[in-house]
């Protein structure tokens, strides 16, 4: 498969992840030395990477809840060719070892992010003095296909 740029590939992966029930993350990215654009990337399921804590916890004193990540084998390798400047998917390993989630757009934080257009709308409405719950209703009407995570809106309105 070929895409004109990395953003188109990311949009395709977002749509594919919503249909299938998983979220992805970029696990590896190499930039070109000449133009600083990504040359190759590896995308993986968010449950595919092992969790490595940043600090040593005192297991005896604290509760060890574990982590949601597992050892999912799903990954996609993508490559940007210099000759035609297109992004190609070179390898897909579609093997999962966990159940896929039907409502992934609610569960995964990857899908709860605000788009730049939504961000601008929230900023405009908040500066005009519109309450956060009214902003959420406006966004739900304007973007019916997106799940509006209310905590993002409340946090953003507080910072404005």
């Amino acid at each position: 498969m070929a895409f004109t740029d990395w953003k188109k590939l990311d949009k395709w992966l977002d749509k594919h992840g919503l249909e299938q029930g998983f979220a992805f993350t970029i696990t590896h990215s190499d930039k070109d030395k000449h133009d600083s654009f990504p040359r190759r990337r590896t995308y993986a399921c968010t449950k595919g990477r092992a969790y490595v804590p940043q600090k040593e916890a005192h297991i005896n004193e604290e509760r060890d809840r574990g982590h949601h990540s597992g050892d999912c084998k799903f990954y996609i390798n993508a490559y940007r060719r210099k000759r035609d400047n297109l992004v190609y998917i070179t390898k897909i390993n579609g093997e999962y070892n966990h159940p896929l989630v039907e409502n992934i757009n609610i569960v995964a934080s990857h899908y709860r992010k605000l788009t730049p257009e939504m961000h601008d709308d929230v900023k405009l409405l908040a500066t005009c003095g519109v309450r956060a719950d009214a902003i959420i209703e406006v966004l739900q009407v304007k973007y019916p296909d997106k799940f509006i995570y209310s905590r993002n809106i409340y946090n953003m309105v507080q910072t404005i």
Side-chain angles (χ1 to χ4, degrees):
M1 297 179 75
F3 300 90
T4 55
D5 59 9
W6 290 107
K7 288 183 181 182
K8 298 245 168 108
L9 173 61
D10 290 345
K11 279 187 175 183
W12 182 83
L13 283 172
D14 277 343
K15 185 178 176 189
H16 178 71
L18 281 172
E19 291 171 357
Q20 297 296 319
F22 74 95
F24 72 90
T25 185
I26 299 172
T27 58
H28 186 78
S29 180
D30 290 334
K31 289 189 177 182
D32 194 348
K33 295 175 185 173
H34 302 292
D35 60 9
S36 297
F37 287 115
R39 183 86 167 140
R40 59 176 49 99
R41 282 183 178 171
T42 300
Y43 296 88
C45 179
T46 53
K47 293 194 175 205
R49 296 189 301 173
Y51 175 70
V52 179
Q54 297 293 320
K55 64 177 184 173
E56 287 290 324
H58 300 287
I59 304 292
N60 297 334
E61 298 173 14
E62 297 178 6
R63 189 174 89 184
D64 185 16
R65 298 187 330 173
H67 198 265
H68 68 275
S69 66
D71 191 25
C72 182
K73 305 294 184 208
F74 172 83
Y75 70 90
I76 293 176
N77 288 340
Y79 176 76
R80 181 179 59 92
R81 202 163 56 184
K82 281 188 178 181
R83 191 172 17 159
D84 56 6
N85 215 21
L86 293 177
V87 177
Y88 294 93
I89 292 179
T90 56
K91 186 171 185 179
I92 297 177
N93 181 0
E95 180 183 331
Y96 296 97
N97 63 353
H98 57 86
L100 300 177
V101 182
E102 284 183 31
N103 57 350
I104 192 71
N105 61 336
I106 298 172
V107 176
S109 62
H110 175 80
Y111 296 109
R112 293 192 306 234
K113 294 179 184 173
L114 296 175
T115 64
E117 297 84 21
M118 295 166 76
H119 199 276
D120 293 341
D121 291 342
V122 172
K123 192 178 260 186
L124 174 71
L125 292 170
T127 54
C128 292
V130 179
R131 296 182 338 267
D133 54 347
I135 294 173
I136 293 169
E137 290 179 21
V138 168
L139 292 177
Q140 287 172 340
V141 170
K142 188 170 181 181
Y143 304 101
D145 57 331
K146 294 286 284 181
F147 177 76
I148 308 299
Y149 188 59
S150 60
R151 180 54 51 201
N152 290 346
I153 307 300
Y154 289 121
N155 290 342
M156 192 173 166
V157 168
Q158 284 182 342
T159 60
I160 295 177

